[in-house]
Amino acid sequence: MSRTNTKLLQAALRTLRTTRTDSLAEPLTGGIGAIFMLHRVTPDTGEGFAPNRILSLTPEFLEAVVDQVREWGYDIISLDEVPARISEHEGAPPFVCFTFDDGYRDNRDLAYPIFKSRNLPMAVYVPEDFADGKGDLWWLVLESAIRQAASVRCDIDGRTFALATRTDAEKNAAFHKLYWALRAVAEDDARSIVAGLAERAGYDPAGLCRNLVMSWDELREFAADPLVTIGAHTTGHYALAKLPIERARREMAGSIARIESELDRPCRHFSYPYGNDAAAGQREFDLARELGMLTAVTTRKGLIHASHATQLTALPRVSLNGDYQEIGFVRTLLSGLPFALIDAARQASSIGTFRRRA
């Protein structure tokens, strides 16, 4: 997302909060709970070029969110408790779960102490290749390649990109253009293109995954605490809906089996990489159910409602985004109003498209 769009959305969220529109709407738009989506927890470096900062919260903000949601009357529960809380929500307080994708070491070092000190649960979804130290964190590789280059050039789906990357502004613009172009093509092709950019920039990503992500030995020690749930996140972190069904099934089943083997316990929870409509759909939701998952989460934006009792392998999440580190934003998101407005806009757009075609 561009910085301009980010600022516009920040302004919209602040308006909903300061006018208390979110509080007034909450009886109509609120849910029975929410599943928070996080990735990394790192100190703020203040860098001008940090396009992946949206994937990171500061420890201070995470701690503030944990304490504030409890003050607002939410129970912080484990993923194992979610199905029962959905089906037995009458009279119960609202709940939240904290889930972290990818298994970054900072989840253990900086997030876990916050939850441990309060005796609260957290969940981490781990791709098999990442824990093996050979995962392709291509979005981070892209950032590092652009950081080291004065210009970048590549072909994506028949389109040539030749971009200056001397200043932070140019680097941010280049990352934005390349990232979304890469997300639109086959992922194996995207990863190959990013590898070529890194090579030309003189950046070697070989040790990146091993340096950032917990190993199996570390995960075993981490998961020994009953407060910690480890879920599956595929083998290689691919957008499953773009894969043939047998490869998608292998990605899912292989990662589930590996976690069960390495940690010597059942794996009941799954997270779809990327998790939007283009990355996970009904086929993947059915596969998760067939593979015995108690829950599976997407990145589709929204709260948990009673209707999700029959959609436990297609659960939405609320992103705790590094560009939105204000407690007021969290409160507005938990009101459900932003998601209701997004849904209304989508429906209006669909109706408009139908009428034009008719």
Side-chain angles (χ1 to χ4, degrees), residues 236-346:
H237 199 280
Y238 282 89
L240 293 167
K242 295 182 178 181
L243 303 178
I245 186 168
E246 287 307 318
R247 184 177 174 188
R249 181 182 282 110
R250 288 196 301 272
E251 282 280 329
M252 297 175 70
S255 65
I256 293 166
R258 183 71 184 280
I259 286 173
E260 292 183 336
S261 173
E262 293 284 352
L263 304 185
D264 194 26
R265 67 191 63 190
C267 177
R268 302 186 184 93
H269 307 283
F270 189 87
S271 172
Y272 306 101
Y274 310 107
N276 59 8
D277 292 354
Q282 192 59 51
R283 186 190 73 171
E284 288 67 46
F285 305 155
D286 292 342
L287 284 173
R289 190 177 300 108
E290 291 170 14
L291 292 169
M293 294 298 95
L294 189 63
T295 71
V297 294
T298 69
T299 64
R300 298 180 183 189
K301 299 173 176 62
L303 303 181
I304 302 299
H305 298 274
S307 59
H308 286 111
T310 58
Q311 303 170 50
L312 291 173
T313 59
L315 297 175
R317 287 191 285 179
V318 174
S319 174
L320 291 184
N321 185 309
D323 282 338
Y324 299 84
Q325 295 189 73
E326 293 183 20
I327 288 295
F329 292 159
V330 179
R331 189 68 193 91
T332 298
L333 292 171
L334 288 175
S335 76
L337 180 56
F339 310 122
L341 293 174
I342 290 170
D343 288 344
R346 286 175 177 167

Side-chain angles (χ1 to χ4, degrees), residues 75-98:
D75 288 342
I76 298 177
I77 67 172
S78 70
L79 288 173
D80 283 343
E81 299 173 80
V82 168
R85 286 297 288 263
I86 294 176
S87 61
E88 301 167 9
H89 65 276
E90 293 290 345
F95 68 85
V96 295
C97 299
F98 284 84

